[in-house]
Structure formats: C-alpha cells, structure tokens
Amino acid sequence: LRLGCTRPPEGCVAESQRAGGAMSSTIHIQVPVTRQLEAEAATDPEIQREISLNADIGSLGTQKEHSISAHEQHAVSPKVSLRARGSRTGAALRNSSFCTEASDGSAFERVPSELRARRGREPEDVMPTSGRLALHVSSVAARHPCKLFCGCWSVVLGLTLAGVLSGELAFSEEGNKDWQVLDNVHSEAADAIQLAEAAVDCRPLNGTCPELPIRSQFNKGALGFSLIYEATGGTMFTPERLQQACVVERLFLQNEHYPKFCTLRPGARENLTVEGRSPMASDCQAQSSSVVQLFYGTGSVVECELLSEENVSAIKQDLLAGLQDPVQKLQIGFFVGADAAGQPYLHRSRSLLGLGYPLEGHEDEPPTSNVLRAATREFWEQLEQDMLEHFGKQHSLTQTAYWEQWQVGDVEVLFLSMSLGDLEKERVVSSDMSWLLLSMILVWMCLVWRTTSLFVGSVSLLQILFSIPVAFSVYRFVLNISYFQQLHGILIFIMLGVGSDDVFVFSDAWQQSEELVSNADHPSDDANDKATKDLTARLALAYQRAMVSVFNTSFTTAVAFLATAISPIIPIRTMGIFACLLVLTNYVFVITLTPAAFSVWQSYDMNISRCCRCCCPRRQAPAVAESVARGGSDQPAAVESSRAPSMLERWFLPIFEKPSIAVASLLLFALWGGLNCYWAAQLEPPHKMFQFFGEEHMHSRVQDTSATGFVAGSDDDYLVLQISFGIEGVDRSPNSTVSLDPWAPDLFYGVEVFDGRFDLGQPSAQAFLRGFCDRMRSVPCSSKGCANGLLVQPDPRAVSCFIEDFDEWTGGLAYEGEEFTSRLRTFRDEQQPQRILNNQATWEKSIGFVDGQLRYVEIQAMLTLKKTQPASVRAEVLDVVEHFLQQEQAAAPEAIGRILQTVGFDWILLVLEQELVGGLFNGFAICFPTAFVVLLLATQNVLVAVYAVVTIGAIVMSVLGWCWAAEGWYLGVAESIAGIIVIGLAVDYVIHLGHMYLEVGHLGYETRAERWRMAFKNMGATVLAGAVTTLVAGLSMRFCQMTFFLQMSTLISVTIVYSLLFTLFFFMCLLRVVGPDGRFGDISGLLRHDRWCPKRHVGSSSEVPAAPGIA
C-alpha cells in the first residue's frame, strides 16, 4: 500500500469482515513516509480514522511502522505477499534496487512486480510492453538455452555465408567521382567541358582521324616523379652534390621498364617499326625539368661524371640572373629553393621527371586517369625497390621507411609520385588494420573481466565482429548500396567500444539481479525447475534494462551517424548509413545473442574446459546446490550477493554527494565548457591540403616543400583556367540507353548540353572574344595565392587565345557568318597553338566542331595560383575569377552564349571541403533535436532531458575546442566527419545515468540525493567499464600511420574522456544540486497508454509465462 492511495472497494471490505478471526485486525508493514504524506495524514479526517501511526513521524525518507486496519488489504495472489502487491516503493525502505523482499515469494513470482515497478507501474497495472517481452524471451532462453543460442547464431552465420558466397562482401572499386559534389556548379562545369571535348570532331589527316602519337608527350602529373635535394650546409650547386643527385636520377632513367613507358624522341616510333625491335633508353626524350639535365646536358646522365667547378659556377650565375626577369623567374625559379620570406635559397633544388603519354592500349584515357598509374605499376614497384637498396632502407611491420631520413652523402633526398603514393597507402592500410587485432584482444580482455565469464566475453566479441557482415547484407542487398571502401573499415574500432558498452549494460544488470534470488522463499520445487525459474527471473530483469537503456543510446547514436546521410559526398553518406546499420545490428544482437549466451553459460557451466557441454546435465543453482549438500532440504541456504562496491561507490560518492563539492565541480566544468566553446569557435578551414600521412612522412614533406619551398613552379605546378563559350551545362538524368548507379557516378557523368544561342559568326561575338583575351591578361588579384598581383601569369603566351592566332593567320581580315565558320574550320585543322596548355597540342578541343557544326570555343590561361593551395587561398582566387566572369557575362552579346570555367580538381576539392564543414553544422541541426527527443522519451522528464542536451553540447564543444587549442587542427575532413560521430558517442553515458536516476524514482527514491546515489550504484560501473573499453579501442589506433586514423584515435579518445568527465562532474553534479525531486518535470502521465485507453485489471499470473512444473 501507499499511504494516501485510493480506498479499497466495498467488496474487499466485506470480504475482510467475513474472514473474521482468520485475519489479524492489524497488519504491520514498512512503508516510506514523506512530508507530503505526513501532511495528508494530519489533515484528512478519513485517513485519521483508518490509520494510526505507531511512532512519531521522523525525518524525510525514514522508515516508520504503522497500524493499518485489516479492511485496507487488497485481495492478493496467494503466491505474492501484501508487501509485493501493495506498493512499488518498498525498495527505498531497504536501500535496495528491488521493491519486493525474499519473503514475498520466489524470484520467479516476484519478477512481474519488479518489471512493472521499473517502468513506473503499480503491481495491479498493466504489464508494460518491455516487461512482457522480457518475460517471454527469458522464459524461452531459460527453457531452451542451446536451441535459442544455436538458432540465433545459425541466422548470423547464414547471412555471413550468403555475403561471402555472393562475392559482394569486398571493397568496391574506387572511382574518380566518389568525393565530388556532383550537383555543384563547379563539378557540373568541369564535366560539361570534359564531355564536350570528348564529343568534338577529329582533325582529319589524309581523310582519316589521326590519334595522338603514342608516348609523344610527357605526363608529369599522374606519371610524374618529383625529387627534392637539400644540402646539409652550403649551396646545392656544387660538382659533388650534383653528382650525387645524378646517381639518384639514374635509378629512374635506367629502370628496366623505363624504355617501355618513357616519352619517345620524334621519329623513334617509326624507327622501331622499321627495325622491328623493342624500345631502348636511347629512344627516350631527355627530361626537360631535371636539375641534373640542366647542369649535365642531354646524354651525360648515364655516366654521372664529376663536373668542373667552372661549368657549375657559370650555370649557377645564369640561374641567379634569370631570377631578376619576372617572365624567366616563373620558369627558372622552379629549380631554385626559397626561404620563408620567398628569397632564393640555394641549399635546395629539385627535378620533375615523367613518363610518356598516351600509353599504348590506353589512348583514350585522360592524363589524370588512375588507369595509367595501374598500367605502369611494374615500373614504380621496381623504382621503389631500387631506391630502397640504394639508400639502404627497409620497410618494417609497424612503420614504413618513408618516415626515416633518406640521405646520400651530405644531401637529403625527398621523392614522391602518385603511383608510389598508391603503393605506400596500400602498405600502410594493411599495417594499420593489423592493429585491429590488438584492439580486439584488449576489448576481449575487458569483456571477459566485466562479464566474469570467458565464454560470454568471447561470444560478445564475436557478435560485435559478426555485426559487420550482417549489417553489410542489409546495406548491400536490401538498400542496394554498392559503394564500400576502406573508410568504412574504421568503423570497427568505434563498434568495438559501442558494442562492448551494450554488453556491459546487460552484464551489470544480470549481476545486480543476483540480489533477487538471495534468501528467497521457494515452494517445494525440484532443483532443475528452481534453476529454470531463477534463470528466467534474472534474465527478465537484465533483458528489460538492456532493451530499454541500450535502445535509447543505440537510437541516438544511429541517428547521429545517419545525419551524415544528408551529405552529397558519397563516401561520407554511405559511411553514415553503414555505421547506423552497425549500431542497430549490435542492438539486435544484444537482445538476442547476449541473453542466449548468458543462459547457456548459467545452464551448462560453460568455461574453458567445458566449452561443448550443451548435451550434459545442467548445473544446479548455487542455493539449490548447497541445499542438496545439506541433505536435500527443500529450503535453500541464504545466498548473499557477492557484488562488491564499485570504485565509484567507494571513492566518488562519499565526496561528491556533498552539495558544496558538487556545486564547485559544476561551476568548474561550466567554466571549462564555456572556454572550450570559445576555442571551438576559432576553428576554420585548413590552411593547407589534407595529407594522408603525418608531417614527418616523406610524402607530406614533398608536398609541403613543393608548395612553398621554391621560388616558382613548373608549368605543371600552376593551375590552368579553362573558359568555355557555348556550353550550357550537363544533363545527368539517365535515359533509355543508360542505367545510372547513384553509388558509382564515375560510370556515367551525364550528357553535355550546348547553348543554342551561341553563334561566333556574328562580328559582335568575335569582337567580344578579342577584348576578352586582352582583359584576361590584366585582371588584378590581391590574394596571397596570386603572384605579382595578377590573376594570369605575365608571360604573353600564358593565355592561349585561338581568336588572336586566327587573326594572325588570316592577316587581320574580317569574316562573318558561314564564311567565318569555314575559315575557322580550316585554321583548326591546319594550325597548332603557340603554347601547349593542358596537354592540348592542337586546336581540336579548343575550337569545338561537333558533327560539323561549331558548338563551342575555349580560351585557356595559366594562373599565378599554384596547385594544392589551402582552401582559404583557393577560395579568394575563385572569387576573383567568378567576379571577372560575371562582369564579362553581363557585358557579352547574346551570341556568345553561356560562359563556364573550370581548373579541374582544385575547384572541386574546394567545394568538397566547404561541404564537409557545412555538413558538420547540418548534422548538429539534426542530431541535437533528435537527442533531445530521445532523451525526453527515455527519461520522461523535461528537466533531465534539458540537462542532458546541455551536457552533450558541452562535450561536443570541448572536443572541438581541444582540436584547436591542444592539437592545432583546423575544421578539415577528419574533424568534420568526427564532429557528427562525437554526438553519438557523447550521448551514451548521459542517457544511462539520467535514465537510471529517474527509474529508481519509481522504486520509492523520492529525493534527489537518494536517486543520485542509486543511479551511481546501478549504472556507474557500467558507464566506467564502457568508457574504458571504448578508450582502449580508440587508443589502439595511436599506433597507426595514416593521418586519418591518428586523428580519429585522438578524437575518439578525447570524446570518451570528456564524455566521462562531463557526465560525472557536470551532469551528475547538476542532478545532485538541482535535479528533479518527486515527479517534478515528469511527463510520463502524458505518454502512458492507459491515459487515453481504459485501464484493465490484470491478474497476478497472466503475464508470467509457464515454466516447467507451473500450471
């Protein structure tokens, strides 16, 4: 009974009167007394007549003994006593987690009341859905442990086997459009121009369309090899140091596969055909961008003899003199290093070597194609092996040789190529993923330690690992997503922590349920029947808590991951979807495989020496075993709970339960959170390109030094701006002949769309283009990415303007209409540009005749902006370009059509970086409201939900603040991805403790101090164990070499630490000081189903599934 509850119906009073002497006139029970109930008892006359207090009412929350008339009893089940049926608040009297006592019956008989009480229901109320499901699942698990265990794992293994046999359980091929924002104007412009160039008519030669001669040009981009030399002291330009550089470059030129891929001399291919022989090194062109060739001259590199001091000094003086000329500076400055102030630094020099283009068998591939790198793989593998032998280096299992210093004599050598980068990435990914084994071992140890079972810990680790193929089956075959890359592999580190935390919730609830079977009153049941009943009761309690608590955290974490699905970037979107499926799969496993594992463990005493005893007789429950030992007595011996107080209970609670200390901690962490908010606000896009490896890695050093360590760059170092007139855009819609896979955009870019207004035959359009080329050369640019204050290089040939060459060819004569088009077609087929930009040695693609009609034209300009500059620099230059073109478009005649521009990858990458930052804040806009709704439904208390969301916000801001203040990071790729993941990881511990704080309120703990203490007692150890396990999984990535893995390790570790600190020292201190008392802030009444539907009476045994021996 609860003091002050509604009176029993008259029928119950009459029945009690008929009982007469069979029932005592006064029943003594222990009930919690609050000041509110004391006031009601003192002022309500009817209560005064019915209830007499046997002792003075003491302080708040103390226990009192009362005399209550017999007619106040309700009719109760003969198996459950008055105390169990009368009130769910009896737990607070005994400082217990259970509202029933041992004398109320067996654990199996008491568990329905416990399941109702934990959801805020009275014993006579309808059993909540979570309770009904917990009872039924637990009953099946207790009666048929092996069948349930084997059945669940059969489904898991079947789905895994299906994925393996289908051949789909593998990484998909990487496409060159995967990281592009396809609906962005810059991606559309780049694809439209590329598609239009591919559709042009060829330049006929003798009536046929000739192809670009095989290996007639250098490809110093995708097939380039960059070498940087830095002398330890003094100038690099000495005979001895140049000789050392010559020996290094000779490894490239004397590679046994070099003649197969080099750029051929003019006429060499014809000679090879006539002579019928394979190419040799003598058939290859000299490398024009080599500092060794600059000093040694053509043909002398093979010998690498020591040069004379006079020749070296003369060439060095020519270099220094050329730096004084602005035009020559952009070319000669490629070989001369620069200090931080941009002044010549002769200690450093470099070379840029390249292979030939186009390659035989790959004539249609663009110069940037990944196919070319794959075709030349054997050359790069041999080159890397030769370099390792020359410098005496060797890769180890944990670290590659590129982290070391490569030095010959007193010259340090740095080198990089895209293909060598691919080899290094493959090697590093394999090495880094091997650390996953260490992570799994450490997590397995934590699972075994916390569950106290080798069998359960091992099964729990397996279910976490098998969540990957099961989630993949849904991902690939149900959602039909074909994109699956190495980026998705990092999720296993996160899931090891998340999955372990889910298991710990079940395990700790299982261990706490041991109190339920202690000193319980049991009927005369046989040993096996009693063991089954006790197992059912314990599983039901653990199952209900895990099902509710883990659902709250899993749902919020899944939504946090799913928030990335709004990203237009395919890798980010698919990673979020897959992570969401992993979280949900782990939740399904923890409510199916985990209870089955516990049931098998308890039923068959599974340990390392009894791992296959499902066919053996079950062991007896501890109490029954002791009873048998005592001679077969039906009454078991008292079994005391063996659970020792956790570290939090021993050290944390005695200190922080004092309000003054809680307030001090609250203020301290509020101040720290505010400071981190300020630091997080300082985050900005990165000042340099994202690097796959750390700053000490050779490849990163080459990128950094090439960008800022030289006076100027080569032609391949600068961006080339392509401006088209007459191309409207691109249509990406699939048609009857094209089936578009949205997860493989590289298979179908779309169809080019031309502007019907374009007509270059009109004199106004021709005049506009002539003026456009002049104005282009003088566009000012104040960005630090622009040299000499100009957008375009000052070299007159930096702008490839076909209309100027056409006027020179015609002698300045004016043409219009069809006559102009005819003359332009002849010029296109017979003439060549004065300067080759973007590997376009003819006017074929710049003057776009498609099916005999002039559909578009192009003008190209070499910018003063170097490639791979920081996002902020590229954004400034892009603004200058767009502002100029907007002005030109506004002044252009209609016949000029639409003006599009692209520089290729750099604009697209800029959009990617901006989209990642925008996606972070869009994710926040989704995750925080979702987290609040989940918290509100989980806690059913507005105040606790608000506290929790504030805490989660503080955690997220603290992690981002750490990135800026401690790590010196920017808001780049990894930080933007992790910002969303952080919300999912940060919410777990807050939900666990917040939910438990309110759940114990249903058991009679009314004051915030009581709730605070019981929340720590029931869930504190779970939170701490989950934090330790996730931290272990995150820290194992600290041994990885990839920058992304290292950053994710830091972010996961910092997130877990901040989550734990803010949960314990901010959120829980907030609840200790101003947490809700009683039903303050409670909205459970609004959410109860029986508020809207009529309440029905439920019998005492209707929800209890039948167990063996129970009718």
Side-chain angles (χ1 to χ4, degrees):
L1 284 176
R2 288 183 305 173
L3 198 61
C5 285
T6 56
R7 310 298 183 271
E10 294 301 326
C12 295
V13 178
E15 183 66 23
S16 65
Q17 292 173 348
R18 284 195 298 270
M23 187 176 295
S24 174
S25 60
T26 301
I27 298 177
H28 298 279
I29 64 174
Q30 300 289 329
V31 298
V33 180
T34 65
R35 295 192 183 279
Q36 178 183 358
L37 298 182
E38 292 173 5
E40 292 181 7
T43 57
D44 191 329
E46 187 172 355
I47 295 181
Q48 288 292 328
R49 287 193 301 269
E50 297 183 16
I51 302 175
S52 61
L53 300 177
N54 290 341
D56 294 335
I57 297 177
S59 60
L60 178 65
T62 57
Q63 300 181 16
K64 298 295 180 179
E65 185 181 55
H66 305 282
S67 298
I68 303 179
S69 58
H71 71 266
E72 291 289 331
Q73 292 187 70
H74 285 244
V76 297
S77 168
K79 292 184 179 181
V80 185
S81 71
L82 174 63
R83 185 181 292 106
R85 291 287 297 167
S87 175
R88 58 178 169 80
T89 60
L93 294 170
R94 303 180 306 278
N95 192 31
S96 170
S97 300
F98 300 94
C99 63
T100 59
E101 293 188 68
S103 59
D104 293 332
S106 68
F108 185 76
E109 295 166 338
R110 293 155 53 196
V111 74
S113 297
E114 299 291 348
L115 296 176
R116 291 189 180 95
R118 275 153 180 73
R119 304 306 296 164
R121 307 290 179 90
E122 293 297 336
E124 68 274 9
D125 287 347
V126 177
M127 177 70 74
T129 303
S130 61
R132 291 198 300 271
L133 186 59
L135 282 171
H136 287 294
V137 172
S138 302
S139 176
V140 173
R143 287 181 293 167
H144 310 290
C146 276
K147 291 181 180 179
L148 180 63
F149 183 82
C150 296
C152 291
W153 274 103
S154 297
V155 175
V156 172
L157 295 177
L159 290 174
T160 303
L161 185 62
V164 172
L165 295 179
S166 68
E168 297 289 341
L169 189 58
F171 292 127
S172 59
E173 293 185 5
E174 187 175 357
N176 55 10
K177 297 283 184 184
D178 293 345
W179 286 89
Q180 292 189 19
V181 183
L182 297 179
D183 58 352
N184 181 267
V185 61
H186 298 294
S187 295
E188 292 179 346
D191 288 346
I193 293 175
Q194 181 179 348
L195 291 167
E197 290 177 346
V200 298
D201 301 336
C202 68
R203 296 173 66 234
L205 180 64
N206 299 326
T208 62
C209 292
E211 296 180 351
L212 186 65
I214 297 297
R215 292 192 278 151
S216 59
Q217 300 179 7
F218 279 103
N219 186 341
K220 297 179 182 179
L223 302 182
F225 182 57
S226 179
L227 284 155
I228 297 177
Y229 309 100
E230 185 149 0
T232 303
T235 178
M236 177 64 201
F237 303 120
T238 66
E240 294 77 15
R241 289 167 179 167
L242 289 171
Q243 185 182 45
Q244 293 168 351
C246 177
V247 173
V248 173
E249 293 190 19
R250 190 169 60 181
L251 298 176
F252 182 92
L253 300 175
Q254 291 187 345
N255 187 303
E256 61 177 311
H257 302 289
Y258 181 67
K260 181 180 177 181
F261 300 112
C262 70
T263 303
L264 297 174
R265 296 178 181 272
R269 186 168 182 82
E270 290 76 10
N271 295 336
L272 294 175
T273 303
V274 172
E275 298 174 10
R277 61 178 177 84
S278 300
M280 298 183 298
S282 58
D283 297 315
C284 300
Q285 286 191 41
Q287 299 286 341
S288 58
S289 298
S290 166
V291 67
V292 174
Q293 292 281 3
L294 180 66
F295 282 84
Y296 275 82
T298 305
S300 302
V301 178
V302 176
E303 303 299 332
C304 288
E305 70 278 3
L306 187 66
L307 299 176
S308 66
E309 188 69 40
E310 293 78 11
N311 290 340
V312 172
S313 297
I315 297 175
K316 181 174 68 173
Q317 293 303 320
D318 291 341
L319 285 175
L320 295 175
L323 296 177
Q324 307 305 316
D325 183 358
V327 176
Q328 294 187 49
K329 179 179 179 181
L330 293 176
Q331 304 302 321
I332 296 177
F334 170 80
F335 299 105
V336 182
D339 57 19
Q343 298 301 314
Y345 180 72
L346 300 183
H347 294 66
R348 185 185 301 131
S349 187
R350 64 173 168 177
S351 296
L352 180 60
L353 314 181
L355 300 181
Y357 174 81
L359 297 179
E360 187 172 7
H362 305 284
E363 293 83 354
D364 296 331
E365 296 293 339
T368 58
S369 173
N370 296 337
V371 176
L372 301 180
R373 285 143 61 179
T376 58
R377 185 182 180 94
E378 57 183 342
F379 170 84
W380 299 108
E381 288 178 343
Q382 182 63 49
L383 176 62
E384 183 181 55
Q385 185 62 36
D386 293 341
M387 296 289 284
L388 288 169
E389 293 178 0
H390 179 73
F391 286 91
K393 301 294 182 180
Q394 187 176 6
H395 299 303
S396 66
L397 294 176
T398 59
Q399 193 176 64
T400 66
Y402 292 111
W403 292 94
E404 304 173 8
Q405 189 177 42
W406 294 53
Q407 193 157 344
V408 52
D410 58 352
V411 176
E412 183 182 7
V413 181
L414 306 175
F415 57 90
L416 172 64
S417 76
M418 290 188 178
S419 295
L420 290 179
D422 293 340
L423 294 175
E424 177 71 349
K425 290 175 183 176
E426 293 174 5
R427 186 163 41 244
V428 167
V429 167
S430 300
S431 173
D432 287 355
M433 293 306 292
S434 66
W435 290 109
L436 177 61
L437 179 61
L438 173 63
S439 179
M440 289 190 296
I441 293 175
L442 294 176
V443 170
W444 173 75
M445 294 172 63
C446 292
L447 286 166
V448 172
W449 160 69
R450 193 61 200 166
T451 61
T452 68
S453 167
L454 179 65
F455 173 74
V456 174
S458 302
V459 170
S460 299
L461 178 63
L462 286 176
Q463 75 184 40
I464 295 172
L465 298 179
F466 273 92
S467 66
I468 296 177
V470 173
F472 181 83
S473 299
V474 179
Y475 176 85
R476 182 66 186 92
F477 302 114
V478 178
L479 301 181
N480 199 28
I481 301 176
S482 58
Y483 186 86
F484 191 75
Q485 285 292 323
Q486 285 84 351
L487 177 65
H488 298 66
I490 197 174
L491 295 173
I492 184 60
F493 290 97
I494 299 175
M495 295 316 302
L496 284 172
V498 173
S500 299
D501 180 66
D502 295 346
V503 173
F504 292 154
V505 173
F506 190 100
S507 173
D508 287 2
W510 163 267
Q511 294 174 16
Q512 292 167 16
S513 68
E514 185 178 0
E515 181 184 343
L516 189 70
V517 299
S518 301
N519 300 318
D521 293 336
H522 294 279
S524 299
D525 294 333
D526 59 49
N528 287 334
D529 186 42
K530 177 199 174 296
T532 300
K533 292 178 181 179
D534 285 350
L535 181 59
T536 301
R538 295 188 66 183
L539 284 176
L541 289 174
Y543 191 93
Q544 186 194 47
R545 177 181 292 179
M547 181 173 60
V548 175
S549 185
V550 174
F551 173 80
N552 296 330
T553 57
S554 297
F555 182 77
T556 309
T557 304
V559 170
F561 282 124
L562 198 60
T564 61
I566 65 173
S567 173
I569 305 167
I570 289 178
I572 305 300
R573 182 161 75 245
T574 55
M575 188 190 76
I577 295 173
F578 186 64
C580 174
L581 292 175
L582 281 176
V583 173
L584 297 179
T585 302
N586 268 279
Y587 173 70
V588 173
F589 283 1
V590 86
I591 61 174
T592 53
L593 299 178
T594 300
F598 271 86
S599 180
V600 171
W601 171 47
Q602 286 293 299
S603 299
Y604 300 104
D605 193 17
M606 297 296 295
N607 54 45
I608 195 169
S609 62
R610 293 177 169 182
C611 57
C612 301
R613 291 195 55 187
C614 284
C615 59
C616 299
R618 304 186 189 185
R619 68 170 182 170
Q620 295 176 330
V624 177
E626 186 174 343
S627 172
V628 174
R630 289 186 294 105
S633 174
D634 291 333
Q635 296 300 322
V639 180
E640 298 295 335
S641 176
S642 61
R643 191 181 75 88
S646 66
M647 183 178 65
L648 288 175
E649 294 179 62
R650 294 195 306 268
W651 301 102
F652 184 86
L653 266 63
I655 298 175
F656 284 87
E657 69 179 352
K658 301 176 182 178
S660 58
I661 296 180
V663 169
S665 175
L666 181 63
L667 294 177
L668 178 63
F669 273 82
L671 180 62
W672 179 248
L675 181 60
N676 277 285
C677 287
Y678 169 77
W679 287 339
Q682 309 305 310
L683 283 171
E684 57 182 349
H687 292 172
K688 61 181 181 180
M689 297 282 293
F690 174 77
Q691 294 175 333
F692 198 81
F693 306 105
E695 293 182 354
E696 299 301 320
H697 193 276
M698 179 188 290
H699 294 178
S700 300
R701 295 179 61 193
V702 171
Q703 293 174 359
D704 292 340
T705 307
S706 299
T708 60
F710 290 90
V711 174
S714 68
D715 288 351
D716 293 297
D717 287 335
Y718 294 98
L719 293 178
V720 175
L721 181 65
Q722 290 180 264
I723 304 173
S724 69
F725 305 85
I727 302 176
E728 182 67 30
V730 61
D731 180 11
R732 301 191 189 277
S733 303
N735 51 55
S736 58
T737 60
V738 177
S739 178
L740 180 61
D741 183 359
W743 309 107
D746 56 295
L747 300 180
F748 176 64
Y749 298 179
V751 178
E752 70 280 1
V753 179
F754 296 109
D755 193 335
R757 301 171 299 170
F758 177 73
D759 183 7
L760 200 56
Q762 295 187 19
S764 60
Q766 299 174 33
F768 173 81
L769 285 182
R770 295 183 180 96
F772 181 89
C773 293
D774 289 335
R775 294 187 293 273
M776 188 74 186
R777 292 186 175 93
S778 59
V779 176
C781 179
S782 59
S783 171
K784 62 181 180 180
C786 295
N788 303 319
L790 293 175
L791 179 65
V792 179
Q793 294 187 9
D795 186 351
R797 297 185 305 161
V799 177
S800 178
C801 188
F802 77 94
I803 194 71
E804 294 177 342
D805 288 14
F806 175 77
D807 289 342
E808 183 179 347
W809 179 70
T810 61
L813 298 177
Y815 300 94
E816 59 181 277
E818 292 295 333
E819 185 179 10
F820 171 82
T821 303
S822 176
R823 295 292 293 172
L824 186 63
R825 178 67 182 255
T826 303
F827 167 79
R828 171 183 180 266
D829 295 342
E830 297 178 357
Q831 299 298 310
Q832 293 181 343
Q834 297 182 18
R835 183 172 184 181
I836 299 175
L837 298 177
N838 278 343
N839 292 308
Q840 294 188 14
T842 70
W843 293 114
E844 180 177 283
K845 295 181 179 179
S846 295
I847 304 175
F849 279 90
V850 180
D851 297 332
Q853 296 183 358
L854 181 63
R855 306 306 302 267
Y856 77 94
V857 293
E858 279 184 12
I859 292 176
Q860 302 184 48
M862 181 169 288
L863 304 181
T864 57
L865 176 67
K866 290 183 179 180
K867 296 178 180 178
T868 64
Q869 291 298 299
S872 57
V873 174
R874 282 175 285 138
E876 293 173 356
V877 178
L878 176 58
D879 289 340
V880 174
V881 172
E882 291 184 327
H883 180 68
F884 169 71
L885 293 182
Q886 288 172 1
Q887 290 180 329
E888 294 295 319
Q889 184 76 75
E894 184 178 3
I896 207 67
R898 185 181 180 186
I899 303 177
L900 295 180
Q901 63 84 21
T902 185
V903 296
F905 178 72
D906 282 71
W907 284 178
I908 295 172
L909 180 62
L910 174 62
V911 173
L912 169 65
E913 293 169 336
Q914 293 173 340
E915 187 63 40
L916 285 173
V917 176
L920 173 64
F921 294 102
N922 291 335
F924 285 167
I926 295 175
C927 291
F928 277 108
T930 303
F932 176 76
V933 172
V934 173
L935 288 164
L936 188 62
L937 295 177
T939 63
Q940 298 185 4
N941 190 286
V942 175
L943 195 60
V944 173
V946 171
Y947 291 168
V949 169
V950 171
T951 304
I952 295 170
I955 295 171
V956 173
M957 291 299 103
S958 295
V959 173
L960 296 179
W962 175 277
C963 293
W964 184 84
E967 303 291 341
W969 293 346
Y970 296 89
L971 202 56
V973 176
E975 295 85 350
S976 300
I977 296 173
I980 304 300
I981 299 175
V982 163
I983 300 178
L985 295 178
V987 74
D988 287 8
Y989 311 139
V990 176
I991 286 185
H992 284 326
L993 287 172
H995 176 263
M996 187 55 60
Y997 177 89
L998 293 169
E999 180 181 287
V1000 297
H1002 301 320
L1003 303 178
Y1005 294 93
E1006 297 291 333
T1007 67
R1008 63 175 64 99
E1010 294 172 331
R1011 293 181 175 186
W1012 185 82
R1013 174 174 284 275
M1014 288 304 297
F1016 270 118
K1017 178 182 177 182
N1018 290 344
M1019 192 60 74
T1022 305
V1023 166
L1024 193 60
V1028 170
T1029 308
T1030 309
L1031 189 62
V1032 165
L1035 288 177
S1036 63
M1037 287 192 289
R1038 295 298 301 174
F1039 302 100
C1040 296
Q1041 301 177 69
M1042 287 189 295
T1043 301
F1044 186 77
F1045 275 20
L1046 290 172
Q1047 288 183 331
M1048 288 301 297
S1049 173
T1050 300
L1051 288 167
I1052 291 174
S1053 303
V1054 172
T1055 299
I1056 295 304
V1057 171
Y1058 269 129
S1059 297
L1060 188 62
L1061 292 177
F1062 270 92
T1063 300
L1064 297 180
F1065 299 101
F1066 181 79
F1067 177 69
M1068 292 306 293
C1069 289
L1070 198 61
L1071 293 179
R1072 179 63 186 89
V1073 177
V1074 289
D1077 272 330
R1079 298 182 61 84
F1080 184 80
D1082 185 73
I1083 62 168
S1084 59
L1086 299 175
L1087 302 178
R1088 287 279 293 273
H1089 175 72
D1090 52 13
R1091 174 181 175 86
W1092 314 106
C1093 300
K1095 182 177 177 181
R1096 61 186 179 88
H1097 179 74
V1098 180
S1100 61
S1101 61
S1102 61
E1103 283 92 6
V1104 182
I1110 300 178

